[in-house]
Amino acid sequence: MIPVVETLDDAGWLAGNGSRSRLAVLPLRLLAVTRLGLILIVTTVLTAIYLPVVGLRLRRLSDRIYRLWAAIVCWICGLRLVVRGTPVGGSGCLYVANHCSYLDIPVLRAILDATFVSRHDVSGWPILGPLARMTGTLFFERRATRSGEQARQMSGQLEKGQSIILFPEGTSTDGNRVLPFKSSLFAAVERSQGVTRTVQPVTIAYTHLYNVPMSLVERPLFAWYGDMDLAPHLWQLLHIGTATVEVTLHDPVRPEQAGDRKQLASICRHSVAEGLRKSLTGR
């Protein structure tokens, strides 16, 4: 079993063996090539297993394969995951998280059994687009006129017992702040068919590089945002030895506690932003 995820006990100390990637001792260029090759091999092998499982509608097994892929990719990339809190679990939960990088996908998927909501244009990307479609990602256009329809589509998935991961900022950031949350898609968790949905805020923070606190200048090595080109950014990232990513799972929120979707979005954003502040300041 690959030792990717570590947890914190009540005193805040790391639990687990904390194994460090041995790949980090290789020369940097060889490290990058090795990592890229391993990611391609693992993705190819697990995709060959995943597709028949999805065809047979063995959802629990397909979720485990997806989660295994995410955990292995995190390990290959030298990411050490530190997890605070516990996922709500069960079915039909909406997880809402800040968004820093494409790395957020394997990081969150190594912890949570849920599908993602993504921008519509990602479906047309080479390699990543087909993989996202294969794993059930929901692709939405950024148009206010479509928000009602999109919320209903998300609600339908929740009613089927499928949990969803949403990045309500609507874009990725430099990892040092949390943008205002767009509230339109929070309508998906309004009471439906007598069931009250649960929303769980999640904070992702890239905190340490080589076990040293990451600076504002270093965080864009992992954060992918603005007009950055994907391929050069990924190639540079594969040269980096090890990094720590803290994932904080906050107390869940019931929609009826908030009053309306705008207040719900505000409550969730406050939890996520406070979690980011604590992680980045070492508190």
Side-chain angles (χ1 to χ4, degrees), residues 60-117:
R60 184 171 297 179
L61 181 56
S62 64
D63 281 343
R64 289 180 179 177
I65 295 172
Y66 191 178
R67 194 165 179 175
L68 175 63
W69 170 85
I72 294 175
V73 168
C74 287
W75 175 76
I76 291 173
C77 292
L79 298 180
R80 184 175 67 105
L81 272 59
V82 178
V83 181
R84 293 184 173 90
T86 305
V88 171
S91 60
C93 176
L94 179 65
Y95 300 100
V96 293
N98 59 311
H99 192 20
C100 312
S101 171
Y102 46 82
L103 289 174
D104 299 345
I105 306 302
V107 165
L108 289 179
R109 200 55 184 78
I111 301 166
L112 305 172
D113 289 326
T115 192
F116 290 90
V117 173

Side-chain angles (χ1 to χ4, degrees), residues 23-39:
L23 295 175
V25 302
L26 297 173
L28 293 183
R29 185 171 295 275
L30 179 56
L31 173 64
V33 172
T34 301
R35 282 175 165 170
L36 182 59
L38 287 174
I39 290 172

Side-chain angles (χ1 to χ4, degrees), residues 2-245:
I2 296 174
V4 176
V5 177
E6 298 179 357
T7 57
L8 295 175
D9 60 20
D10 292 337
W13 294 95
L14 284 173
N17 55 27
S19 298
R20 183 174 176 176
S21 172
R22 295 180 181 178
L23 295 175
V25 302
L26 297 173
L28 293 183
R29 185 171 295 275
L30 179 56
L31 173 64
V33 172
T34 301
R35 282 175 165 170
L36 182 59
L38 287 174
I39 290 172
L40 293 174
I41 291 171
V42 167
T43 301
T44 300
V45 171
L46 290 184
T47 297
I49 301 172
Y50 183 86
L51 287 175
V53 171
V54 171
L56 294 171
R57 298 183 179 181
L58 301 175
R59 180 175 152 188
R60 184 171 297 179
L61 181 56
S62 64
D63 281 343
R64 289 180 179 177
I65 295 172
Y66 191 178
R67 194 165 179 175
L68 175 63
W69 170 85
I72 294 175
V73 168
C74 287
W75 175 76
I76 291 173
C77 292
L79 298 180
R80 184 175 67 105
L81 272 59
V82 178
V83 181
R84 293 184 173 90
T86 305
V88 171
S91 60
C93 176
L94 179 65
Y95 300 100
V96 293
N98 59 311
H99 192 20
C100 312
S101 171
Y102 46 82
L103 289 174
D104 299 345
I105 306 302
V107 165
L108 289 179
R109 200 55 184 78
I111 301 166
L112 305 172
D113 289 326
T115 192
F116 290 90
V117 173
S118 179
R119 303 193 321 259
H120 186 268
D121 61 300
V122 174
S123 64
W125 289 8
I127 302 178
L128 296 179
L131 287 173
R133 291 195 300 271
M134 178 183 69
T135 54
T137 299
L138 302 174
F139 297 103
F140 292 157
E141 297 179 39
R142 293 179 178 175
R143 294 195 309 184
T145 56
R146 300 289 303 278
S147 61
E149 175 189 341
Q150 293 164 354
R152 285 192 294 272
Q153 186 177 346
M154 286 176 57
S155 181
Q157 292 297 311
L158 294 171
E159 289 174 4
K160 292 177 183 177
Q162 177 65 63
S163 294
I164 295 174
I165 299 171
L166 174 67
F167 299 119
E169 291 167 293
T171 187
S172 54
T173 71
D174 59 7
N176 296 310
R177 56 180 178 153
V178 179
L179 298 177
F181 281 5
K182 300 181 186 301
S183 65
S184 58
L185 295 182
F186 280 81
V189 295
E190 292 177 348
R191 187 182 297 272
S192 62
Q193 297 186 359
V195 177
T196 300
R197 302 296 169 193
T198 299
V199 182
Q200 185 165 29
V202 181
T203 299
I204 306 171
Y206 294 79
T207 60
H208 289 74
L209 181 61
Y210 297 105
N211 294 321
V212 176
M214 202 178 296
S215 68
L216 295 178
V217 176
E218 292 167 331
R219 199 159 286 115
L221 294 172
F222 298 87
W224 182 66
Y225 61 99
D227 58 356
M228 290 181 176
D229 292 327
L230 177 59
H233 187 273
L234 175 60
W235 180 242
Q236 175 181 260
L237 184 143
L238 291 173
H239 286 74
I240 301 173
T242 58
T244 301
V245 185

